[in-house]
Amino acid sequence: MSAPLIAGVELGGTKVICVLASGPDDVRERVQIPTTTPDETLTAVEEVLRRWSGYAALGIASFGPVSLDRSAATYGYITATTKPGWSDTDVGLRLAKVAGVPFGFDSDVNGAALGEGRWGASHDVNDHAYITVGTGVGVGLVLHGAPVAGMTHAELGHVRPLRMAGDAWGGSCAFHGDCVEGLVSGTAIRARTGTAAQDLAATDPAWDTVAHTLAQLCHTVVLTGIPRRIVMGGGVMVGVPHLLPQIRTRLVASLGGYVAAPGLLPIDRFVVPAALGDMAGPLGAVQLGVLALDRG
């Protein structure tokens, strides 16, 4: 039986990627739309969805925070976001009304986690995490092949880590200062050093703090008891090849042998780089559509 054709929408803070696909080897069309105002952006997406035909479901992976409680009046909304003009915006129900097919809605990082789980670096496990380190830091958690959500989605990029000894920098997060995102995002690295992550020398001492902090985030993710693999992606990770080995080493030291799960070692098979690149999000939206079909 052939895989269903899905309309996938990844709504990002700077651009929207729409794909008509059944998987990475069957992408019929890919459309990129700039993210401007809510009405202008969503109207352009609606035009794409009206033009396309033959898709069985719609999947939407959106920047957030987003409302994922199906019983809430705001389900499918972007809630209190820092992106000007986008707070309290109905995304899910608005686009689903145009598509007229079953739809799935989730955060962009949960979408990327689903994409990596179906076709990428976690394709062989059902329980995994995806950490993106770019302009911000986000964590997507997948349990038994489905994204984890309750009252809302995970916001583990905003946990406060154990700080590295001697590091007193206040951080760049507008909400929390020295949370993980405020210490290691691309925005934070530039604020601390005056240099973009991709241009910062591998010997710069700032990388010690970045590696330490991301290992602390991985420590927290491991202790949720969910992931059999942690996939790390985003612009900072992709552009800085020396970072991942440092994170692995520091994670093992931080855990101190406490978690004895057999899947944790060797560590280079537990903490791995993302495999799908910039298609993780759009393909994750496709998988959200597949899950919507499965729900009936």
Side-chain angles (χ1 to χ4, degrees), residues 35-83:
T35 304
T36 55
T37 65
D39 192 56
E40 184 176 53
T41 304
L42 296 176
T43 296
V45 175
E46 288 169 337
E47 290 174 356
V48 172
L49 294 176
R50 288 192 180 99
R51 179 169 58 81
W52 285 348
S53 62
Y55 54 90
L58 167 68
I60 307 162
S62 175
F63 75 89
V66 293
S67 174
L68 300 180
D69 183 351
R70 294 177 180 276
S71 66
T74 57
Y75 172 66
Y77 277 55
I78 293 173
T79 57
T81 180
T82 56
K83 186 166 180 60

Short mmCIF file of all heavy atoms in Angstrom, two decimals, residues 35-83:
data_model
loop_
_atom_site.label_atom_id
_atom_site.label_comp_id
_atom_site.label_asym_id
_atom_site.label_seq_id
_atom_site.Cartn_x
_atom_site.Cartn_y
_atom_site.Cartn_z
N THR A 35 7.46 34.85 6.17
CA THR A 35 6.59 35.10 7.31
C THR A 35 6.57 36.59 7.59
O THR A 35 7.57 37.16 8.05
CB THR A 35 7.09 34.33 8.55
OG1 THR A 35 7.19 32.95 8.23
CG2 THR A 35 6.14 34.51 9.72
N THR A 36 5.44 37.21 7.29
CA THR A 36 5.29 38.65 7.51
C THR A 36 4.19 38.85 8.57
O THR A 36 4.37 38.46 9.70
CB THR A 36 4.97 39.37 6.19
OG1 THR A 36 3.80 38.76 5.58
CG2 THR A 36 6.14 39.26 5.22
N THR A 37 3.07 39.44 8.19
CA THR A 37 1.96 39.56 9.12
C THR A 37 1.16 38.26 9.11
O THR A 37 1.19 37.51 8.13
CB THR A 37 1.04 40.72 8.73
OG1 THR A 37 0.42 40.41 7.46
CG2 THR A 37 1.80 42.03 8.62
N PRO A 38 0.40 38.01 10.17
CA PRO A 38 -0.40 36.78 10.18
C PRO A 38 -1.34 36.65 8.99
O PRO A 38 -1.38 35.59 8.33
CB PRO A 38 -1.17 36.87 11.50
CG PRO A 38 -0.30 37.69 12.38
CD PRO A 38 0.33 38.70 11.47
N ASP A 39 -2.08 37.70 8.69
CA ASP A 39 -3.07 37.57 7.63
C ASP A 39 -2.41 37.40 6.26
O ASP A 39 -2.83 36.56 5.46
CB ASP A 39 -4.00 38.79 7.60
CG ASP A 39 -5.22 38.54 6.71
OD1 ASP A 39 -5.94 37.54 6.96
OD2 ASP A 39 -5.43 39.31 5.76
N GLU A 40 -1.37 38.17 6.00
CA GLU A 40 -0.68 38.06 4.71
C GLU A 40 -0.06 36.68 4.55
O GLU A 40 -0.18 36.05 3.50
CB GLU A 40 0.39 39.15 4.62
CG GLU A 40 1.11 39.19 3.28
CD GLU A 40 2.09 40.34 3.19
OE1 GLU A 40 2.95 40.47 4.10
OE2 GLU A 40 2.00 41.12 2.23
N THR A 41 0.59 36.20 5.60
CA THR A 41 1.27 34.91 5.53
C THR A 41 0.28 33.77 5.38
O THR A 41 0.43 32.90 4.50
CB THR A 41 2.12 34.70 6.80
OG1 THR A 41 3.03 35.79 6.95
CG2 THR A 41 2.89 33.39 6.73
N LEU A 42 -0.74 33.74 6.23
CA LEU A 42 -1.69 32.62 6.20
C LEU A 42 -2.55 32.64 4.95
O LEU A 42 -2.94 31.58 4.44
CB LEU A 42 -2.54 32.63 7.47
CG LEU A 42 -1.77 32.40 8.77
CD1 LEU A 42 -2.68 32.52 9.98
CD2 LEU A 42 -1.07 31.05 8.76
N THR A 43 -2.84 33.83 4.42
CA THR A 43 -3.57 33.91 3.15
C THR A 43 -2.76 33.27 2.03
O THR A 43 -3.30 32.55 1.19
CB THR A 43 -3.90 35.38 2.81
OG1 THR A 43 -4.79 35.89 3.81
CG2 THR A 43 -4.56 35.49 1.45
N ALA A 44 -1.45 33.51 2.03
CA ALA A 44 -0.59 32.91 1.01
C ALA A 44 -0.56 31.38 1.15
O ALA A 44 -0.57 30.65 0.15
CB ALA A 44 0.81 33.48 1.10
N VAL A 45 -0.54 30.88 2.38
CA VAL A 45 -0.57 29.44 2.60
C VAL A 45 -1.90 28.86 2.13
O VAL A 45 -1.95 27.80 1.50
CB VAL A 45 -0.33 29.11 4.08
CG1 VAL A 45 -0.49 27.60 4.33
CG2 VAL A 45 1.07 29.56 4.52
N GLU A 46 -2.99 29.55 2.44
CA GLU A 46 -4.31 29.10 2.01
C GLU A 46 -4.39 28.97 0.49
O GLU A 46 -5.00 28.03 -0.04
CB GLU A 46 -5.38 30.07 2.51
CG GLU A 46 -5.62 29.99 4.00
CD GLU A 46 -6.49 31.13 4.51
OE1 GLU A 46 -6.55 32.19 3.84
OE2 GLU A 46 -7.10 30.98 5.58
N GLU A 47 -3.76 29.91 -0.21
CA GLU A 47 -3.77 29.84 -1.68
C GLU A 47 -3.07 28.59 -2.18
O GLU A 47 -3.51 27.95 -3.14
CB GLU A 47 -3.11 31.10 -2.25
CG GLU A 47 -3.95 32.36 -2.05
CD GLU A 47 -3.21 33.62 -2.49
OE1 GLU A 47 -2.03 33.52 -2.88
OE2 GLU A 47 -3.82 34.70 -2.42
N VAL A 48 -1.98 28.22 -1.51
CA VAL A 48 -1.27 26.99 -1.88
C VAL A 48 -2.15 25.78 -1.62
O VAL A 48 -2.27 24.87 -2.47
CB VAL A 48 0.05 26.88 -1.09
CG1 VAL A 48 0.71 25.50 -1.33
CG2 VAL A 48 1.02 27.99 -1.49
N LEU A 49 -2.78 25.73 -0.46
CA LEU A 49 -3.62 24.58 -0.11
C LEU A 49 -4.82 24.45 -1.05
O LEU A 49 -5.23 23.33 -1.38
CB LEU A 49 -4.10 24.71 1.34
CG LEU A 49 -3.01 24.63 2.41
CD1 LEU A 49 -3.61 24.86 3.79
CD2 LEU A 49 -2.29 23.30 2.37
N ARG A 50 -5.36 25.56 -1.50
CA ARG A 50 -6.48 25.51 -2.45
C ARG A 50 -6.02 25.02 -3.82
O ARG A 50 -6.76 24.34 -4.52
CB ARG A 50 -7.12 26.90 -2.57
CG ARG A 50 -7.93 27.33 -1.36
CD ARG A 50 -8.77 28.57 -1.67
NE ARG A 50 -9.54 28.99 -0.52
CZ ARG A 50 -9.19 29.98 0.32
NH1 ARG A 50 -8.05 30.64 0.09
NH2 ARG A 50 -9.94 30.30 1.34
N ARG A 51 -4.81 25.38 -4.19
CA ARG A 51 -4.30 24.99 -5.51
C ARG A 51 -3.96 23.51 -5.57
O ARG A 51 -4.17 22.87 -6.59
CB ARG A 51 -3.06 25.84 -5.84
CG ARG A 51 -2.43 25.51 -7.18
CD ARG A 51 -1.39 26.54 -7.57
NE ARG A 51 -0.32 26.67 -6.61
CZ ARG A 51 0.73 25.86 -6.51
NH1 ARG A 51 0.83 24.82 -7.35
NH2 ARG A 51 1.67 26.06 -5.62
N TRP A 52 -3.45 22.97 -4.47
CA TRP A 52 -3.08 21.57 -4.44
C TRP A 52 -4.33 20.70 -4.36
O TRP A 52 -5.37 21.11 -3.83
CB TRP A 52 -2.22 21.28 -3.23
CG TRP A 52 -0.81 21.77 -3.35
CD1 TRP A 52 -0.19 22.23 -4.47
CD2 TRP A 52 0.15 21.88 -2.30
NE1 TRP A 52 1.10 22.60 -4.19
CE2 TRP A 52 1.34 22.39 -2.86
CE3 TRP A 52 0.13 21.58 -0.94
CZ2 TRP A 52 2.49 22.62 -2.11
CZ3 TRP A 52 1.27 21.80 -0.18
CH2 TRP A 52 2.44 22.32 -0.76
N SER A 53 -4.24 19.49 -4.85
CA SER A 53 -5.37 18.56 -4.78
C SER A 53 -4.84 17.15 -4.52
O SER A 53 -3.66 16.87 -4.72
CB SER A 53 -6.18 18.57 -6.08
OG SER A 53 -5.38 18.14 -7.18
N GLY A 54 -5.72 16.30 -4.05
CA GLY A 54 -5.37 14.89 -3.88
C GLY A 54 -4.71 14.54 -2.57
O GLY A 54 -4.35 13.38 -2.34
N TYR A 55 -4.52 15.51 -1.66
CA TYR A 55 -3.89 15.18 -0.38
C TYR A 55 -4.95 14.69 0.62
O TYR A 55 -6.08 15.16 0.65
CB TYR A 55 -3.07 16.34 0.17
CG TYR A 55 -3.77 17.67 0.32
CD1 TYR A 55 -4.44 18.02 1.49
CD2 TYR A 55 -3.73 18.62 -0.71
CE1 TYR A 55 -5.04 19.26 1.64
CE2 TYR A 55 -4.33 19.85 -0.58
CZ TYR A 55 -4.99 20.17 0.60
OH TYR A 55 -5.60 21.40 0.74
N ALA A 56 -4.52 13.72 1.44
CA ALA A 56 -5.46 13.05 2.35
C ALA A 56 -5.53 13.72 3.72
O ALA A 56 -6.49 13.50 4.47
CB ALA A 56 -5.05 11.59 2.53
N ALA A 57 -4.52 14.50 4.06
CA ALA A 57 -4.48 15.14 5.38
C ALA A 57 -3.55 16.35 5.32
O ALA A 57 -2.78 16.52 4.37
CB ALA A 57 -4.02 14.15 6.45
N LEU A 58 -3.64 17.16 6.36
CA LEU A 58 -2.82 18.36 6.49
C LEU A 58 -2.05 18.25 7.81
O LEU A 58 -2.62 17.90 8.85
CB LEU A 58 -3.71 19.60 6.51
CG LEU A 58 -3.09 20.93 6.94
CD1 LEU A 58 -2.06 21.41 5.92
CD2 LEU A 58 -4.17 21.99 7.14
N GLY A 59 -0.76 18.55 7.77
CA GLY A 59 0.04 18.63 8.98
C GLY A 59 0.65 20.01 9.11
O GLY A 59 1.16 20.56 8.12
N ILE A 60 0.59 20.58 10.30
CA ILE A 60 1.11 21.93 10.54
C ILE A 60 2.06 21.89 11.73
O ILE A 60 1.68 21.48 12.83
CB ILE A 60 -0.03 22.92 10.85
CG1 ILE A 60 -1.11 22.89 9.77
CG2 ILE A 60 0.52 24.34 11.03
CD1 ILE A 60 -2.43 23.49 10.21
N ALA A 61 3.30 22.31 11.51
CA ALA A 61 4.30 22.45 12.58
C ALA A 61 4.66 23.93 12.67
O ALA A 61 5.19 24.50 11.72
CB ALA A 61 5.53 21.61 12.27
N SER A 62 4.35 24.54 13.79
CA SER A 62 4.43 26.00 13.89
C SER A 62 5.39 26.46 14.99
O SER A 62 5.53 25.82 16.04
CB SER A 62 3.04 26.57 14.18
OG SER A 62 3.10 27.97 14.41
N PHE A 63 6.01 27.61 14.73
CA PHE A 63 6.74 28.28 15.81
C PHE A 63 5.75 28.62 16.91
O PHE A 63 4.54 28.67 16.70
CB PHE A 63 7.49 29.50 15.30
CG PHE A 63 6.65 30.72 15.00
CD1 PHE A 63 6.37 31.66 15.99
CD2 PHE A 63 6.14 30.95 13.72
CE1 PHE A 63 5.62 32.79 15.71
CE2 PHE A 63 5.39 32.06 13.43
CZ PHE A 63 5.12 32.99 14.44
N GLY A 64 6.24 28.89 18.08
CA GLY A 64 5.31 29.06 19.20
C GLY A 64 5.74 30.12 20.18
O GLY A 64 6.51 31.01 19.82
N PRO A 65 5.22 29.94 21.39
CA PRO A 65 4.48 28.81 21.92
C PRO A 65 3.13 28.62 21.22
O PRO A 65 2.54 29.58 20.72
CB PRO A 65 4.27 29.16 23.40
CG PRO A 65 5.31 30.19 23.71
CD PRO A 65 5.47 30.97 22.44
N VAL A 66 2.66 27.36 21.22
CA VAL A 66 1.38 27.04 20.59
C VAL A 66 0.49 26.30 21.58
O VAL A 66 0.98 25.67 22.53
CB VAL A 66 1.55 26.20 19.31
CG1 VAL A 66 2.24 27.01 18.22
CG2 VAL A 66 2.34 24.92 19.59
N SER A 67 -0.82 26.37 21.35
CA SER A 67 -1.79 25.68 22.20
C SER A 67 -2.08 24.31 21.60
O SER A 67 -2.55 24.21 20.46
CB SER A 67 -3.09 26.50 22.29
OG SER A 67 -4.08 25.78 23.00
N LEU A 68 -1.84 23.24 22.39
CA LEU A 68 -2.00 21.88 21.91
C LEU A 68 -3.11 21.12 22.63
O LEU A 68 -3.32 19.94 22.37
CB LEU A 68 -0.68 21.11 22.06
CG LEU A 68 0.52 21.68 21.30
CD1 LEU A 68 1.75 20.82 21.53
CD2 LEU A 68 0.23 21.82 19.81
N ASP A 69 -3.80 21.77 23.52
CA ASP A 69 -4.90 21.14 24.27
C ASP A 69 -6.14 21.12 23.38
O ASP A 69 -6.74 22.16 23.11
CB ASP A 69 -5.17 21.92 25.55
CG ASP A 69 -6.25 21.28 26.42
OD1 ASP A 69 -6.91 20.32 25.96
OD2 ASP A 69 -6.43 21.74 27.56
N ARG A 70 -6.52 19.94 22.93
CA ARG A 70 -7.63 19.82 21.98
C ARG A 70 -8.97 20.27 22.57
O ARG A 70 -9.90 20.56 21.83
CB ARG A 70 -7.74 18.38 21.47
CG ARG A 70 -6.56 17.96 20.63
CD ARG A 70 -6.67 16.50 20.21
NE ARG A 70 -5.53 16.13 19.40
CZ ARG A 70 -5.44 16.35 18.08
NH1 ARG A 70 -6.44 16.90 17.43
NH2 ARG A 70 -4.36 16.00 17.42
N SER A 71 -9.05 20.30 23.89
CA SER A 71 -10.30 20.73 24.52
C SER A 71 -10.36 22.24 24.72
O SER A 71 -11.40 22.78 25.12
CB SER A 71 -10.46 20.04 25.87
OG SER A 71 -9.45 20.46 26.79
N ALA A 72 -9.26 22.94 24.44
CA ALA A 72 -9.21 24.39 24.67
C ALA A 72 -9.76 25.15 23.47
O ALA A 72 -9.63 24.72 22.32
CB ALA A 72 -7.77 24.83 24.94
N ALA A 73 -10.38 26.29 23.75
CA ALA A 73 -10.91 27.13 22.67
C ALA A 73 -9.79 27.66 21.78
O ALA A 73 -10.04 28.03 20.64
CB ALA A 73 -11.71 28.29 23.27
N THR A 74 -8.58 27.69 22.32
CA THR A 74 -7.44 28.23 21.57
C THR A 74 -6.60 27.14 20.91
O THR A 74 -5.48 27.41 20.45
CB THR A 74 -6.54 29.05 22.50
OG1 THR A 74 -6.12 28.21 23.59
CG2 THR A 74 -7.26 30.27 23.02
N TYR A 75 -7.11 25.90 20.84
CA TYR A 75 -6.34 24.83 20.20
C TYR A 75 -5.95 25.24 18.78
O TYR A 75 -6.78 25.71 18.00
CB TYR A 75 -7.14 23.53 20.15
CG TYR A 75 -6.46 22.46 19.32
CD1 TYR A 75 -5.26 21.89 19.74
CD2 TYR A 75 -7.01 22.03 18.11
CE1 TYR A 75 -4.62 20.92 18.98
CE2 TYR A 75 -6.38 21.05 17.35
CZ TYR A 75 -5.18 20.51 17.79
OH TYR A 75 -4.55 19.57 17.04
N GLY A 76 -4.66 25.03 18.46
CA GLY A 76 -4.18 25.40 17.13
C GLY A 76 -3.71 26.83 17.01
O GLY A 76 -3.34 27.27 15.93
N TYR A 77 -3.72 27.56 18.13
CA TYR A 77 -3.29 28.96 18.12
C TYR A 77 -1.81 29.09 18.47
O TYR A 77 -1.27 28.29 19.25
CB TYR A 77 -4.06 29.77 19.17
CG TYR A 77 -5.42 30.26 18.76
CD1 TYR A 77 -6.40 29.39 18.30
CD2 TYR A 77 -5.75 31.61 18.87
CE1 TYR A 77 -7.66 29.84 17.95
CE2 TYR A 77 -7.01 32.07 18.54
CZ TYR A 77 -7.96 31.19 18.07
OH TYR A 77 -9.21 31.65 17.74
N ILE A 78 -1.16 30.11 17.91
CA ILE A 78 0.07 30.62 18.48
C ILE A 78 -0.35 31.51 19.65
O ILE A 78 -1.25 32.34 19.51
CB ILE A 78 0.87 31.44 17.45
CG1 ILE A 78 1.37 30.51 16.33
CG2 ILE A 78 2.04 32.16 18.11
CD1 ILE A 78 2.01 31.24 15.18
N THR A 79 0.25 31.31 20.81
CA THR A 79 -0.20 32.03 22.00
C THR A 79 0.65 33.29 22.23
O THR A 79 0.72 34.13 21.35
CB THR A 79 -0.20 31.08 23.21
OG1 THR A 79 1.12 30.54 23.41
CG2 THR A 79 -1.19 29.94 22.99
N ALA A 80 1.29 33.40 23.38
CA ALA A 80 2.04 34.62 23.71
C ALA A 80 3.45 34.52 23.17
O ALA A 80 4.37 34.08 23.84
CB ALA A 80 2.07 34.84 25.21
N THR A 81 3.64 34.94 21.93
CA THR A 81 4.94 34.84 21.29
C THR A 81 5.66 36.19 21.28
O THR A 81 5.02 37.25 21.37
CB THR A 81 4.79 34.34 19.84
OG1 THR A 81 6.08 34.25 19.22
CG2 THR A 81 3.92 35.28 19.02
N THR A 82 6.97 36.14 21.17
CA THR A 82 7.75 37.37 21.08
C THR A 82 7.74 37.94 19.67
O THR A 82 8.19 39.07 19.46
CB THR A 82 9.21 37.12 21.50
OG1 THR A 82 9.76 36.07 20.69
CG2 THR A 82 9.28 36.71 22.97
N LYS A 83 7.22 37.19 18.68
CA LYS A 83 7.18 37.70 17.31
C LYS A 83 6.05 38.72 17.20
O LYS A 83 4.88 38.38 17.39
CB LYS A 83 6.98 36.57 16.30
CG LYS A 83 7.09 37.07 14.86
CD LYS A 83 7.23 35.94 13.89
CE LYS A 83 7.34 36.46 12.46
NZ LYS A 83 8.51 37.36 12.27
#
